[in-house]
Amino acid sequence: MKLERIRLEGFLSHELTDWSPNGARLVTLVGANGAGKSTLASDALSYALFDEARGKTDQLVQLGKTDMSVLVEFTFGGQRYRVTRGRTTRSGGKSFLELAIADGDGWRPLTGDTIRDTEIAIAELLRLDAATFETAVLLGQGQANRCAEATAAERKRILGQVLGLDVYARAETRARELARDLEVQSGEKRSHCERL
């Protein structure tokens, strides 16, 4: 996944921030404590892609505002995608999530019927869940040892997701099912032969 753009509006300390690494492979964000560096580099990505953040959704709306949104554009597998997630606190509150793929000069929607459907589509597209993303892709401030401190089973799960090894696990499960079916069929044919 290559990050192309992040746009924050009314999100935590960011009234309106539109940032792009402009193709840079290494970026340093510098500023005073509380300036919003972690919000831009970590919270915005986790929230937009996985609805994970350091507070409840309504707490992410900037003080004095009623609406917030995070737009993240990224390239993955040779395609450019856009994820936009947001919330309004008006009238009891309402959230939204949109997924789109670049199509010529515009964007073609891939948004599901529900927010949950769209979250599943994003997780399947990236082949990651929130925990794997935060452990293997996005190391938050003070969490550099997160993967090293994980249990062996958790490291195996993380690496399996990152490397796409779950494809082999599904293939193994399917092969076992087919082998069981063939064994049953073989047994039935053997019985039939013995009766003849």
Side-chain angles (χ1 to χ4, degrees), residues 6-18 34-49 51-72 84-87:
I6 299 177
R7 184 179 194 278
L8 310 177
E9 190 167 346
F11 185 76
L12 292 172
S13 61
H14 292 265
E15 186 167 340
L16 179 59
T17 301
D18 199 336
K37 302 179 300 291
S38 294
T39 298
L40 179 65
S42 175
D43 294 322
L45 287 171
S46 294
Y47 171 69
L49 298 174
D51 196 19
E52 294 283 327
R54 55 179 129 162
K56 294 181 181 174
T57 306
D58 283 348
Q59 295 170 335
L60 303 176
V61 179
Q62 188 178 47
L63 288 175
K65 303 284 183 181
T66 57
D67 299 296
M68 66 88 166
S69 65
V70 175
L71 176 146
V72 174
T84 309
R85 188 187 294 262
R87 177 135 179 107

Side-chain angles (χ1 to χ4, degrees), residues 5 71-74 80-84 98-102 107 111 122:
R5 177 182 178 212
L71 176 146
V72 174
E73 290 180 14
F74 60 92
R80 188 168 176 140
Y81 296 91
R82 174 189 287 169
V83 173
T84 309
E98 299 168 354
L99 171 63
I101 186 169
W107 294 91
T111 304
I122 292 168

Side-chain angles (χ1 to χ4, degrees), residues 3-4 24 27 33 41 48 60 67 89 94 98 115 119 122 134 136 146 175 181 193:
L3 183 63
E4 302 288 349
V27 175
N33 285 345
L60 303 176
D67 299 296
T89 57
K94 183 171 172 127
E98 299 168 354
I115 288 176
E119 288 173 336
I122 292 168
E134 290 179 3
R146 192 171 184 173
D181 292 346
C193 287

Side-chain angles (χ1 to χ4, degrees), residues 87-176:
R87 177 135 179 107
T88 183
T89 57
R90 288 180 268 170
S91 303
K94 183 171 172 127
S95 296
F96 68 90
L97 174 62
E98 299 168 354
L99 171 63
I101 186 169
D103 189 7
D105 291 335
W107 294 91
R108 181 170 40 92
L110 300 175
T111 304
D113 293 333
T114 65
I115 288 176
R116 185 68 190 130
D117 290 342
T118 307
E119 288 173 336
I120 290 169
I122 292 168
E124 287 176 354
L125 167 70
L126 296 175
R127 295 189 301 267
L128 298 170
D129 60 17
T132 303
F133 181 78
E134 290 179 3
T135 302
V137 177
L138 181 69
L139 290 177
Q141 189 172 325
Q143 297 180 346
N145 289 335
R146 192 171 184 173
C147 192
E149 293 171 352
T151 64
E154 183 63 8
R155 280 193 303 274
K156 181 179 177 182
R157 187 192 69 75
I158 291 165
L159 289 172
Q161 271 197 309
V162 170
L163 299 173
L165 300 180
D166 54 332
V167 170
Y168 299 108
R170 287 193 306 268
E172 179 184 10
T173 300
R174 181 68 180 130
R176 287 179 192 210

